[in-house]
Amino acid sequence: MCLHIDDVTLGDFSDEHCGLYGAYCGFKELLNTSARLWDESFDGLSLEQIHDLVRNAIYGDDDRTMSAILEDSQRYRRFDFLTNWGEQFDGFASVIIQEDEETTTILHRPHSAFARQREPGPFVVATCSTIRFQNACASLVQWFDQETERLALIEGRTKP
């Protein structure tokens, strides 16, 4: 599984051990989010600064207190994108934001330490319309639900 946003590809389609359930859950959560993906702390920051703020707030190793870490994690977790969504996204931990109602932007900084057989690359900004993003999420969720139901019926279960 991978994501294609214009000429940007995130994910490793060739990963033979990728699980789809983690990605399904992540996309379903995004689909069910009614609030715009923006935080006032992003105001005035560059896209790279927003990416780094979110990633450091959640995963940073610094001298914050445990309560500050928990508060930051709670505040910024909704912007965390692809982290732990399946093996196909190992090394593709990204940030998702909506600078306005019409545009969804994925921010990604490749890190070779997490990406098998890939060199670190330039900072990635992938943008699409929010409606196209929501439609893609809805299509994936619908497909997954239909396949779950179909496979449950094949196995003789009445409910997935």
mmCIF file with all atom_site columns, all heavy atoms in Angstrom, residues 37-47 49-51 53-54 75-76 78-79 95-99 107:
data_model
loop_
_atom_site.group_PDB
_atom_site.id
_atom_site.type_symbol
_atom_site.label_atom_id
_atom_site.label_alt_id
_atom_site.label_comp_id
_atom_site.label_asym_id
_atom_site.label_entity_id
_atom_site.label_seq_id
_atom_site.pdbx_PDB_ins_code
_atom_site.Cartn_x
_atom_site.Cartn_y
_atom_site.Cartn_z
_atom_site.occupancy
_atom_site.B_iso_or_equiv
_atom_site.pdbx_formal_charge
_atom_site.auth_seq_id
_atom_site.auth_comp_id
_atom_site.auth_asym_id
_atom_site.auth_atom_id
_atom_site.pdbx_PDB_model_num
ATOM 1   N N   . LEU A 1 37  ? -7.745 20.586 10.407 1.00 0.00 ? 37  LEU A N   1
ATOM 2   C CA  . LEU A 1 37  ? -6.456 20.125 10.923 1.00 0.00 ? 37  LEU A CA  1
ATOM 3   C C   . LEU A 1 37  ? -5.481 21.304 10.999 1.00 0.00 ? 37  LEU A C   1
ATOM 4   O O   . LEU A 1 37  ? -4.591 21.463 10.171 1.00 0.00 ? 37  LEU A O   1
ATOM 5   C CB  . LEU A 1 37  ? -5.901 19.010 10.037 1.00 0.00 ? 37  LEU A CB  1
ATOM 6   C CG  . LEU A 1 37  ? -6.676 17.702 10.081 1.00 0.00 ? 37  LEU A CG  1
ATOM 7   C CD1 . LEU A 1 37  ? -6.234 16.760 8.972  1.00 0.00 ? 37  LEU A CD1 1
ATOM 8   C CD2 . LEU A 1 37  ? -6.535 17.035 11.437 1.00 0.00 ? 37  LEU A CD2 1
ATOM 9   N N   . TRP A 1 38  ? -5.690 22.089 12.015 1.00 0.00 ? 38  TRP A N   1
ATOM 10  C CA  . TRP A 1 38  ? -4.845 23.272 12.221 1.00 0.00 ? 38  TRP A CA  1
ATOM 11  C C   . TRP A 1 38  ? -4.806 23.579 13.703 1.00 0.00 ? 38  TRP A C   1
ATOM 12  O O   . TRP A 1 38  ? -5.753 23.317 14.444 1.00 0.00 ? 38  TRP A O   1
ATOM 13  C CB  . TRP A 1 38  ? -5.404 24.469 11.451 1.00 0.00 ? 38  TRP A CB  1
ATOM 14  C CG  . TRP A 1 38  ? -4.454 25.641 11.436 1.00 0.00 ? 38  TRP A CG  1
ATOM 15  C CD1 . TRP A 1 38  ? -4.542 26.787 12.188 1.00 0.00 ? 38  TRP A CD1 1
ATOM 16  C CD2 . TRP A 1 38  ? -3.267 25.775 10.653 1.00 0.00 ? 38  TRP A CD2 1
ATOM 17  N NE1 . TRP A 1 38  ? -3.480 27.612 11.915 1.00 0.00 ? 38  TRP A NE1 1
ATOM 18  C CE2 . TRP A 1 38  ? -2.679 27.017 10.970 1.00 0.00 ? 38  TRP A CE2 1
ATOM 19  C CE3 . TRP A 1 38  ? -2.647 24.957 9.715  1.00 0.00 ? 38  TRP A CE3 1
ATOM 20  C CZ2 . TRP A 1 38  ? -1.508 27.467 10.379 1.00 0.00 ? 38  TRP A CZ2 1
ATOM 21  C CZ3 . TRP A 1 38  ? -1.474 25.401 9.128  1.00 0.00 ? 38  TRP A CZ3 1
ATOM 22  C CH2 . TRP A 1 38  ? -0.920 26.644 9.453  1.00 0.00 ? 38  TRP A CH2 1
ATOM 23  N N   . ASP A 1 39  ? -3.696 24.143 14.149 1.00 0.00 ? 39  ASP A N   1
ATOM 24  C CA  . ASP A 1 39  ? -3.533 24.559 15.530 1.00 0.00 ? 39  ASP A CA  1
ATOM 25  C C   . ASP A 1 39  ? -2.985 25.977 15.518 1.00 0.00 ? 39  ASP A C   1
ATOM 26  O O   . ASP A 1 39  ? -2.140 26.311 14.682 1.00 0.00 ? 39  ASP A O   1
ATOM 27  C CB  . ASP A 1 39  ? -2.560 23.620 16.253 1.00 0.00 ? 39  ASP A CB  1
ATOM 28  C CG  . ASP A 1 39  ? -2.498 23.888 17.739 1.00 0.00 ? 39  ASP A CG  1
ATOM 29  O OD1 . ASP A 1 39  ? -3.307 23.275 18.475 1.00 0.00 ? 39  ASP A OD1 1
ATOM 30  O OD2 . ASP A 1 39  ? -1.666 24.709 18.171 1.00 0.00 ? 39  ASP A OD2 1
ATOM 31  N N   . GLU A 1 40  ? -3.420 26.786 16.430 1.00 0.00 ? 40  GLU A N   1
ATOM 32  C CA  . GLU A 1 40  ? -2.974 28.189 16.461 1.00 0.00 ? 40  GLU A CA  1
ATOM 33  C C   . GLU A 1 40  ? -1.467 28.316 16.637 1.00 0.00 ? 40  GLU A C   1
ATOM 34  O O   . GLU A 1 40  ? -0.882 29.321 16.230 1.00 0.00 ? 40  GLU A O   1
ATOM 35  C CB  . GLU A 1 40  ? -3.710 28.961 17.556 1.00 0.00 ? 40  GLU A CB  1
ATOM 36  C CG  . GLU A 1 40  ? -3.419 28.471 18.954 1.00 0.00 ? 40  GLU A CG  1
ATOM 37  C CD  . GLU A 1 40  ? -4.268 29.148 20.023 1.00 0.00 ? 40  GLU A CD  1
ATOM 38  O OE1 . GLU A 1 40  ? -5.329 29.680 19.710 1.00 0.00 ? 40  GLU A OE1 1
ATOM 39  O OE2 . GLU A 1 40  ? -3.813 29.129 21.183 1.00 0.00 ? 40  GLU A OE2 1
ATOM 40  N N   . SER A 1 41  ? -0.826 27.307 17.183 1.00 0.00 ? 41  SER A N   1
ATOM 41  C CA  . SER A 1 41  ? 0.629  27.360 17.339 1.00 0.00 ? 41  SER A CA  1
ATOM 42  C C   . SER A 1 41  ? 1.348  27.316 15.991 1.00 0.00 ? 41  SER A C   1
ATOM 43  O O   . SER A 1 41  ? 2.535  27.634 15.915 1.00 0.00 ? 41  SER A O   1
ATOM 44  C CB  . SER A 1 41  ? 1.125  26.214 18.220 1.00 0.00 ? 41  SER A CB  1
ATOM 45  O OG  . SER A 1 41  ? 0.893  24.969 17.598 1.00 0.00 ? 41  SER A OG  1
ATOM 46  N N   . PHE A 1 42  ? 0.643  26.944 14.917 1.00 0.00 ? 42  PHE A N   1
ATOM 47  C CA  . PHE A 1 42  ? 1.238  26.903 13.582 1.00 0.00 ? 42  PHE A CA  1
ATOM 48  C C   . PHE A 1 42  ? 1.287  28.281 12.925 1.00 0.00 ? 42  PHE A C   1
ATOM 49  O O   . PHE A 1 42  ? 2.012  28.465 11.950 1.00 0.00 ? 42  PHE A O   1
ATOM 50  C CB  . PHE A 1 42  ? 0.456  25.967 12.656 1.00 0.00 ? 42  PHE A CB  1
ATOM 51  C CG  . PHE A 1 42  ? 0.352  24.536 13.122 1.00 0.00 ? 42  PHE A CG  1
ATOM 52  C CD1 . PHE A 1 42  ? -0.641 23.716 12.614 1.00 0.00 ? 42  PHE A CD1 1
ATOM 53  C CD2 . PHE A 1 42  ? 1.219  23.994 14.058 1.00 0.00 ? 42  PHE A CD2 1
ATOM 54  C CE1 . PHE A 1 42  ? -0.758 22.396 13.008 1.00 0.00 ? 42  PHE A CE1 1
ATOM 55  C CE2 . PHE A 1 42  ? 1.113  22.676 14.469 1.00 0.00 ? 42  PHE A CE2 1
ATOM 56  C CZ  . PHE A 1 42  ? 0.119  21.878 13.940 1.00 0.00 ? 42  PHE A CZ  1
ATOM 57  N N   . ASP A 1 43  ? 0.494  29.203 13.429 1.00 0.00 ? 43  ASP A N   1
ATOM 58  C CA  . ASP A 1 43  ? 0.429  30.539 12.822 1.00 0.00 ? 43  ASP A CA  1
ATOM 59  C C   . ASP A 1 43  ? 1.822  31.153 12.745 1.00 0.00 ? 43  ASP A C   1
ATOM 60  O O   . ASP A 1 43  ? 2.560  31.204 13.734 1.00 0.00 ? 43  ASP A O   1
ATOM 61  C CB  . ASP A 1 43  ? -0.489 31.465 13.625 1.00 0.00 ? 43  ASP A CB  1
ATOM 62  C CG  . ASP A 1 43  ? -1.948 31.056 13.551 1.00 0.00 ? 43  ASP A CG  1
ATOM 63  O OD1 . ASP A 1 43  ? -2.312 30.268 12.652 1.00 0.00 ? 43  ASP A OD1 1
ATOM 64  O OD2 . ASP A 1 43  ? -2.734 31.521 14.404 1.00 0.00 ? 43  ASP A OD2 1
ATOM 65  N N   . GLY A 1 44  ? 2.193  31.613 11.551 1.00 0.00 ? 44  GLY A N   1
ATOM 66  C CA  . GLY A 1 44  ? 3.471  32.280 11.344 1.00 0.00 ? 44  GLY A CA  1
ATOM 67  C C   . GLY A 1 44  ? 4.657  31.346 11.133 1.00 0.00 ? 44  GLY A C   1
ATOM 68  O O   . GLY A 1 44  ? 5.772  31.821 10.902 1.00 0.00 ? 44  GLY A O   1
ATOM 69  N N   . LEU A 1 45  ? 4.450  30.024 11.220 1.00 0.00 ? 45  LEU A N   1
ATOM 70  C CA  . LEU A 1 45  ? 5.549  29.081 11.033 1.00 0.00 ? 45  LEU A CA  1
ATOM 71  C C   . LEU A 1 45  ? 5.631  28.620 9.582  1.00 0.00 ? 45  LEU A C   1
ATOM 72  O O   . LEU A 1 45  ? 4.622  28.556 8.878  1.00 0.00 ? 45  LEU A O   1
ATOM 73  C CB  . LEU A 1 45  ? 5.360  27.839 11.920 1.00 0.00 ? 45  LEU A CB  1
ATOM 74  C CG  . LEU A 1 45  ? 5.351  28.046 13.430 1.00 0.00 ? 45  LEU A CG  1
ATOM 75  C CD1 . LEU A 1 45  ? 5.163  26.712 14.143 1.00 0.00 ? 45  LEU A CD1 1
ATOM 76  C CD2 . LEU A 1 45  ? 6.622  28.725 13.901 1.00 0.00 ? 45  LEU A CD2 1
ATOM 77  N N   . SER A 1 46  ? 6.830  28.262 9.139  1.00 0.00 ? 46  SER A N   1
ATOM 78  C CA  . SER A 1 46  ? 6.991  27.648 7.820  1.00 0.00 ? 46  SER A CA  1
ATOM 79  C C   . SER A 1 46  ? 6.469  26.209 7.898  1.00 0.00 ? 46  SER A C   1
ATOM 80  O O   . SER A 1 46  ? 6.282  25.650 8.987  1.00 0.00 ? 46  SER A O   1
ATOM 81  C CB  . SER A 1 46  ? 8.467  27.641 7.414  1.00 0.00 ? 46  SER A CB  1
ATOM 82  O OG  . SER A 1 46  ? 9.183  26.701 8.201  1.00 0.00 ? 46  SER A OG  1
ATOM 83  N N   . LEU A 1 47  ? 6.261  25.583 6.744  1.00 0.00 ? 47  LEU A N   1
ATOM 84  C CA  . LEU A 1 47  ? 5.790  24.200 6.722  1.00 0.00 ? 47  LEU A CA  1
ATOM 85  C C   . LEU A 1 47  ? 6.783  23.255 7.400  1.00 0.00 ? 47  LEU A C   1
ATOM 86  O O   . LEU A 1 47  ? 6.382  22.346 8.138  1.00 0.00 ? 47  LEU A O   1
ATOM 87  C CB  . LEU A 1 47  ? 5.515  23.759 5.283  1.00 0.00 ? 47  LEU A CB  1
ATOM 88  C CG  . LEU A 1 47  ? 4.355  24.494 4.601  1.00 0.00 ? 47  LEU A CG  1
ATOM 89  C CD1 . LEU A 1 47  ? 4.211  24.051 3.155  1.00 0.00 ? 47  LEU A CD1 1
ATOM 90  C CD2 . LEU A 1 47  ? 3.054  24.311 5.361  1.00 0.00 ? 47  LEU A CD2 1
ATOM 91  N N   . GLN A 1 49  ? 8.817  24.074 9.820  1.00 0.00 ? 49  GLN A N   1
ATOM 92  C CA  . GLN A 1 49  ? 8.728  24.333 11.257 1.00 0.00 ? 49  GLN A CA  1
ATOM 93  C C   . GLN A 1 49  ? 7.490  23.660 11.852 1.00 0.00 ? 49  GLN A C   1
ATOM 94  O O   . GLN A 1 49  ? 7.541  23.140 12.971 1.00 0.00 ? 49  GLN A O   1
ATOM 95  C CB  . GLN A 1 49  ? 8.696  25.842 11.520 1.00 0.00 ? 49  GLN A CB  1
ATOM 96  C CG  . GLN A 1 49  ? 10.020 26.516 11.273 1.00 0.00 ? 49  GLN A CG  1
ATOM 97  C CD  . GLN A 1 49  ? 9.909  28.043 11.334 1.00 0.00 ? 49  GLN A CD  1
ATOM 98  O OE1 . GLN A 1 49  ? 8.916  28.629 10.900 1.00 0.00 ? 49  GLN A OE1 1
ATOM 99  N NE2 . GLN A 1 49  ? 10.946 28.667 11.871 1.00 0.00 ? 49  GLN A NE2 1
ATOM 100 N N   . ILE A 1 50  ? 6.382  23.646 11.113 1.00 0.00 ? 50  ILE A N   1
ATOM 101 C CA  . ILE A 1 50  ? 5.171  22.971 11.586 1.00 0.00 ? 50  ILE A CA  1
ATOM 102 C C   . ILE A 1 50  ? 5.454  21.473 11.726 1.00 0.00 ? 50  ILE A C   1
ATOM 103 O O   . ILE A 1 50  ? 5.125  20.858 12.745 1.00 0.00 ? 50  ILE A O   1
ATOM 104 C CB  . ILE A 1 50  ? 3.982  23.220 10.638 1.00 0.00 ? 50  ILE A CB  1
ATOM 105 C CG1 . ILE A 1 50  ? 3.562  24.692 10.692 1.00 0.00 ? 50  ILE A CG1 1
ATOM 106 C CG2 . ILE A 1 50  ? 2.806  22.298 10.984 1.00 0.00 ? 50  ILE A CG2 1
ATOM 107 C CD1 . ILE A 1 50  ? 2.555  25.101 9.625  1.00 0.00 ? 50  ILE A CD1 1
ATOM 108 N N   . HIS A 1 51  ? 6.061  20.889 10.685 1.00 0.00 ? 51  HIS A N   1
ATOM 109 C CA  . HIS A 1 51  ? 6.409  19.465 10.732 1.00 0.00 ? 51  HIS A CA  1
ATOM 110 C C   . HIS A 1 51  ? 7.240  19.165 11.969 1.00 0.00 ? 51  HIS A C   1
ATOM 111 O O   . HIS A 1 51  ? 6.947  18.244 12.739 1.00 0.00 ? 51  HIS A O   1
ATOM 112 C CB  . HIS A 1 51  ? 7.177  19.075 9.465  1.00 0.00 ? 51  HIS A CB  1
ATOM 113 C CG  . HIS A 1 51  ? 7.716  17.686 9.510  1.00 0.00 ? 51  HIS A CG  1
ATOM 114 N ND1 . HIS A 1 51  ? 8.922  17.380 10.118 1.00 0.00 ? 51  HIS A ND1 1
ATOM 115 C CD2 . HIS A 1 51  ? 7.222  16.519 9.051  1.00 0.00 ? 51  HIS A CD2 1
ATOM 116 C CE1 . HIS A 1 51  ? 9.133  16.091 10.023 1.00 0.00 ? 51  HIS A CE1 1
ATOM 117 N NE2 . HIS A 1 51  ? 8.127  15.542 9.371  1.00 0.00 ? 51  HIS A NE2 1
ATOM 118 N N   . LEU A 1 53  ? 7.679  20.895 14.723 1.00 0.00 ? 53  LEU A N   1
ATOM 119 C CA  . LEU A 1 53  ? 6.957  21.155 15.966 1.00 0.00 ? 53  LEU A CA  1
ATOM 120 C C   . LEU A 1 53  ? 6.114  19.940 16.348 1.00 0.00 ? 53  LEU A C   1
ATOM 121 O O   . LEU A 1 53  ? 6.170  19.462 17.487 1.00 0.00 ? 53  LEU A O   1
ATOM 122 C CB  . LEU A 1 53  ? 6.065  22.394 15.820 1.00 0.00 ? 53  LEU A CB  1
ATOM 123 C CG  . LEU A 1 53  ? 5.074  22.648 16.963 1.00 0.00 ? 53  LEU A CG  1
ATOM 124 C CD1 . LEU A 1 53  ? 5.806  22.998 18.245 1.00 0.00 ? 53  LEU A CD1 1
ATOM 125 C CD2 . LEU A 1 53  ? 4.093  23.736 16.586 1.00 0.00 ? 53  LEU A CD2 1
ATOM 126 N N   . VAL A 1 54  ? 5.351  19.434 15.392 1.00 0.00 ? 54  VAL A N   1
ATOM 127 C CA  . VAL A 1 54  ? 4.477  18.288 15.671 1.00 0.00 ? 54  VAL A CA  1
ATOM 128 C C   . VAL A 1 54  ? 5.296  17.058 16.034 1.00 0.00 ? 54  VAL A C   1
ATOM 129 O O   . VAL A 1 54  ? 5.045  16.393 17.044 1.00 0.00 ? 54  VAL A O   1
ATOM 130 C CB  . VAL A 1 54  ? 3.546  17.996 14.474 1.00 0.00 ? 54  VAL A CB  1
ATOM 131 C CG1 . VAL A 1 54  ? 2.810  16.677 14.655 1.00 0.00 ? 54  VAL A CG1 1
ATOM 132 C CG2 . VAL A 1 54  ? 2.566  19.135 14.269 1.00 0.00 ? 54  VAL A CG2 1
ATOM 133 N N   . ARG A 1 75  ? -2.373 17.184 22.337 1.00 0.00 ? 75  ARG A N   1
ATOM 134 C CA  . ARG A 1 75  ? -2.656 18.350 21.492 1.00 0.00 ? 75  ARG A CA  1
ATOM 135 C C   . ARG A 1 75  ? -2.305 18.094 20.026 1.00 0.00 ? 75  ARG A C   1
ATOM 136 O O   . ARG A 1 75  ? -3.036 18.515 19.125 1.00 0.00 ? 75  ARG A O   1
ATOM 137 C CB  . ARG A 1 75  ? -1.867 19.557 22.002 1.00 0.00 ? 75  ARG A CB  1
ATOM 138 C CG  . ARG A 1 75  ? -2.088 20.812 21.186 1.00 0.00 ? 75  ARG A CG  1
ATOM 139 C CD  . ARG A 1 75  ? -1.356 21.985 21.771 1.00 0.00 ? 75  ARG A CD  1
ATOM 140 N NE  . ARG A 1 75  ? -1.633 23.213 21.037 1.00 0.00 ? 75  ARG A NE  1
ATOM 141 C CZ  . ARG A 1 75  ? -1.194 24.396 21.400 1.00 0.00 ? 75  ARG A CZ  1
ATOM 142 N NH1 . ARG A 1 75  ? -0.456 24.535 22.496 1.00 0.00 ? 75  ARG A NH1 1
ATOM 143 N NH2 . ARG A 1 75  ? -1.492 25.461 20.685 1.00 0.00 ? 75  ARG A NH2 1
ATOM 144 N N   . TYR A 1 76  ? -1.189 17.414 19.778 1.00 0.00 ? 76  TYR A N   1
ATOM 145 C CA  . TYR A 1 76  ? -0.671 17.316 18.409 1.00 0.00 ? 76  TYR A CA  1
ATOM 146 C C   . TYR A 1 76  ? -0.871 15.952 17.742 1.00 0.00 ? 76  TYR A C   1
ATOM 147 O O   . TYR A 1 76  ? -0.570 15.808 16.566 1.00 0.00 ? 76  TYR A O   1
ATOM 148 C CB  . TYR A 1 76  ? 0.819  17.679 18.402 1.00 0.00 ? 76  TYR A CB  1
ATOM 149 C CG  . TYR A 1 76  ? 1.054  19.133 18.711 1.00 0.00 ? 76  TYR A CG  1
ATOM 150 C CD1 . TYR A 1 76  ? 1.546  19.528 19.952 1.00 0.00 ? 76  TYR A CD1 1
ATOM 151 C CD2 . TYR A 1 76  ? 0.766  20.118 17.776 1.00 0.00 ? 76  TYR A CD2 1
ATOM 152 C CE1 . TYR A 1 76  ? 1.751  20.873 20.250 1.00 0.00 ? 76  TYR A CE1 1
ATOM 153 C CE2 . TYR A 1 76  ? 0.976  21.457 18.067 1.00 0.00 ? 76  TYR A CE2 1
ATOM 154 C CZ  . TYR A 1 76  ? 1.467  21.829 19.301 1.00 0.00 ? 76  TYR A CZ  1
ATOM 155 O OH  . TYR A 1 76  ? 1.659  23.156 19.576 1.00 0.00 ? 76  TYR A OH  1
ATOM 156 N N   . ARG A 1 78  ? -3.368 14.470 16.497 1.00 0.00 ? 78  ARG A N   1
ATOM 157 C CA  . ARG A 1 78  ? -4.254 14.442 15.327 1.00 0.00 ? 78  ARG A CA  1
ATOM 158 C C   . ARG A 1 78  ? -3.549 14.872 14.042 1.00 0.00 ? 78  ARG A C   1
ATOM 159 O O   . ARG A 1 78  ? -4.048 14.637 12.952 1.00 0.00 ? 78  ARG A O   1
ATOM 160 C CB  . ARG A 1 78  ? -5.510 15.276 15.569 1.00 0.00 ? 78  ARG A CB  1
ATOM 161 C CG  . ARG A 1 78  ? -5.274 16.758 15.696 1.00 0.00 ? 78  ARG A CG  1
ATOM 162 C CD  . ARG A 1 78  ? -6.546 17.459 16.188 1.00 0.00 ? 78  ARG A CD  1
ATOM 163 N NE  . ARG A 1 78  ? -6.410 18.885 16.152 1.00 0.00 ? 78  ARG A NE  1
ATOM 164 C CZ  . ARG A 1 78  ? -7.092 19.675 15.342 1.00 0.00 ? 78  ARG A CZ  1
ATOM 165 N NH1 . ARG A 1 78  ? -7.976 19.172 14.519 1.00 0.00 ? 78  ARG A NH1 1
ATOM 166 N NH2 . ARG A 1 78  ? -6.891 20.966 15.366 1.00 0.00 ? 78  ARG A NH2 1
ATOM 167 N N   . PHE A 1 79  ? -2.364 15.454 14.169 1.00 0.00 ? 79  PHE A N   1
ATOM 168 C CA  . PHE A 1 79  ? -1.584 15.871 12.995 1.00 0.00 ? 79  PHE A CA  1
ATOM 169 C C   . PHE A 1 79  ? -0.557 14.809 12.585 1.00 0.00 ? 79  PHE A C   1
ATOM 170 O O   . PHE A 1 79  ? 0.069  14.931 11.545 1.00 0.00 ? 79  PHE A O   1
ATOM 171 C CB  . PHE A 1 79  ? -0.866 17.200 13.270 1.00 0.00 ? 79  PHE A CB  1
ATOM 172 C CG  . PHE A 1 79  ? -1.800 18.277 13.741 1.00 0.00 ? 79  PHE A CG  1
ATOM 173 C CD1 . PHE A 1 79  ? -1.816 18.684 15.070 1.00 0.00 ? 79  PHE A CD1 1
ATOM 174 C CD2 . PHE A 1 79  ? -2.684 18.884 12.858 1.00 0.00 ? 79  PHE A CD2 1
ATOM 175 C CE1 . PHE A 1 79  ? -2.680 19.665 15.507 1.00 0.00 ? 79  PHE A CE1 1
ATOM 176 C CE2 . PHE A 1 79  ? -3.556 19.862 13.289 1.00 0.00 ? 79  PHE A CE2 1
ATOM 177 C CZ  . PHE A 1 79  ? -3.561 20.260 14.615 1.00 0.00 ? 79  PHE A CZ  1
ATOM 178 N N   . VAL A 1 95  ? 3.303  14.487 8.771  1.00 0.00 ? 95  VAL A N   1
ATOM 179 C CA  . VAL A 1 95  ? 2.384  15.396 9.446  1.00 0.00 ? 95  VAL A CA  1
ATOM 180 C C   . VAL A 1 95  ? 1.330  15.817 8.429  1.00 0.00 ? 95  VAL A C   1
ATOM 181 O O   . VAL A 1 95  ? 1.647  16.055 7.262  1.00 0.00 ? 95  VAL A O   1
ATOM 182 C CB  . VAL A 1 95  ? 3.151  16.626 9.999  1.00 0.00 ? 95  VAL A CB  1
ATOM 183 C CG1 . VAL A 1 95  ? 2.207  17.702 10.492 1.00 0.00 ? 95  VAL A CG1 1
ATOM 184 C CG2 . VAL A 1 95  ? 4.118  16.194 11.102 1.00 0.00 ? 95  VAL A CG2 1
ATOM 185 N N   . ILE A 1 96  ? 0.079  15.904 8.876  1.00 0.00 ? 96  ILE A N   1
ATOM 186 C CA  . ILE A 1 96  ? -1.005 16.331 8.013  1.00 0.00 ? 96  ILE A CA  1
ATOM 187 C C   . ILE A 1 96  ? -1.640 17.591 8.590  1.00 0.00 ? 96  ILE A C   1
ATOM 188 O O   . ILE A 1 96  ? -1.884 17.669 9.796  1.00 0.00 ? 96  ILE A O   1
ATOM 189 C CB  . ILE A 1 96  ? -2.053 15.209 7.824  1.00 0.00 ? 96  ILE A CB  1
ATOM 190 C CG1 . ILE A 1 96  ? -3.129 15.634 6.823  1.00 0.00 ? 96  ILE A CG1 1
ATOM 191 C CG2 . ILE A 1 96  ? -2.645 14.763 9.146  1.00 0.00 ? 96  ILE A CG2 1
ATOM 192 C CD1 . ILE A 1 96  ? -4.034 14.499 6.372  1.00 0.00 ? 96  ILE A CD1 1
ATOM 193 N N   . ILE A 1 97  ? -1.861 18.585 7.731  1.00 0.00 ? 97  ILE A N   1
ATOM 194 C CA  . ILE A 1 97  ? -2.466 19.849 8.156  1.00 0.00 ? 97  ILE A CA  1
ATOM 195 C C   . ILE A 1 97  ? -3.436 20.340 7.089  1.00 0.00 ? 97  ILE A C   1
ATOM 196 O O   . ILE A 1 97  ? -3.423 19.860 5.956  1.00 0.00 ? 97  ILE A O   1
ATOM 197 C CB  . ILE A 1 97  ? -1.410 20.948 8.430  1.00 0.00 ? 97  ILE A CB  1
ATOM 198 C CG1 . ILE A 1 97  ? -0.598 21.246 7.161  1.00 0.00 ? 97  ILE A CG1 1
ATOM 199 C CG2 . ILE A 1 97  ? -0.519 20.570 9.609  1.00 0.00 ? 97  ILE A CG2 1
ATOM 200 C CD1 . ILE A 1 97  ? 0.289  22.474 7.260  1.00 0.00 ? 97  ILE A CD1 1
ATOM 201 N N   . GLN A 1 98  ? -4.239 21.309 7.477  1.00 0.00 ? 98  GLN A N   1
ATOM 202 C CA  . GLN A 1 98  ? -5.110 22.012 6.535  1.00 0.00 ? 98  GLN A CA  1
ATOM 203 C C   . GLN A 1 98  ? -4.960 23.506 6.804  1.00 0.00 ? 98  GLN A C   1
ATOM 204 O O   . GLN A 1 98  ? -5.531 24.033 7.750  1.00 0.00 ? 98  GLN A O   1
ATOM 205 C CB  . GLN A 1 98  ? -6.564 21.572 6.712  1.00 0.00 ? 98  GLN A CB  1
ATOM 206 C CG  . GLN A 1 98  ? -6.775 20.129 6.321  1.00 0.00 ? 98  GLN A CG  1
ATOM 207 C CD  . GLN A 1 98  ? -8.128 19.598 6.729  1.00 0.00 ? 98  GLN A CD  1
ATOM 208 O OE1 . GLN A 1 98  ? -8.679 19.984 7.744  1.00 0.00 ? 98  GLN A OE1 1
ATOM 209 N NE2 . GLN A 1 98  ? -8.658 18.685 5.930  1.00 0.00 ? 98  GLN A NE2 1
ATOM 210 N N   . GLU A 1 99  ? -4.164 24.137 5.952  1.00 0.00 ? 99  GLU A N   1
ATOM 211 C CA  . GLU A 1 99  ? -3.935 25.576 6.118  1.00 0.00 ? 99  GLU A CA  1
ATOM 212 C C   . GLU A 1 99  ? -5.219 26.369 5.917  1.00 0.00 ? 99  GLU A C   1
ATOM 213 O O   . GLU A 1 99  ? -5.365 27.460 6.437  1.00 0.00 ? 99  GLU A O   1
ATOM 214 C CB  . GLU A 1 99  ? -2.853 26.053 5.151  1.00 0.00 ? 99  GLU A CB  1
ATOM 215 C CG  . GLU A 1 99  ? -1.498 25.454 5.465  1.00 0.00 ? 99  GLU A CG  1
ATOM 216 C CD  . GLU A 1 99  ? -0.447 25.906 4.487  1.00 0.00 ? 99  GLU A CD  1
ATOM 217 O OE1 . GLU A 1 99  ? 0.129  26.993 4.712  1.00 0.00 ? 99  GLU A OE1 1
ATOM 218 O OE2 . GLU A 1 99  ? -0.210 25.175 3.494  1.00 0.00 ? 99  GLU A OE2 1
ATOM 219 N N   . LEU A 1 107 ? 3.209  16.767 5.133  1.00 0.00 ? 107 LEU A N   1
ATOM 220 C CA  . LEU A 1 107 ? 4.589  17.205 5.303  1.00 0.00 ? 107 LEU A CA  1
ATOM 221 C C   . LEU A 1 107 ? 5.412  16.003 5.735  1.00 0.00 ? 107 LEU A C   1
ATOM 222 O O   . LEU A 1 107 ? 5.029  15.283 6.662  1.00 0.00 ? 107 LEU A O   1
ATOM 223 C CB  . LEU A 1 107 ? 4.669  18.295 6.371  1.00 0.00 ? 107 LEU A CB  1
ATOM 224 C CG  . LEU A 1 107 ? 3.687  19.463 6.223  1.00 0.00 ? 107 LEU A CG  1
ATOM 225 C CD1 . LEU A 1 107 ? 3.734  20.366 7.449  1.00 0.00 ? 107 LEU A CD1 1
ATOM 226 C CD2 . LEU A 1 107 ? 3.990  20.241 4.960  1.00 0.00 ? 107 LEU A CD2 1
#
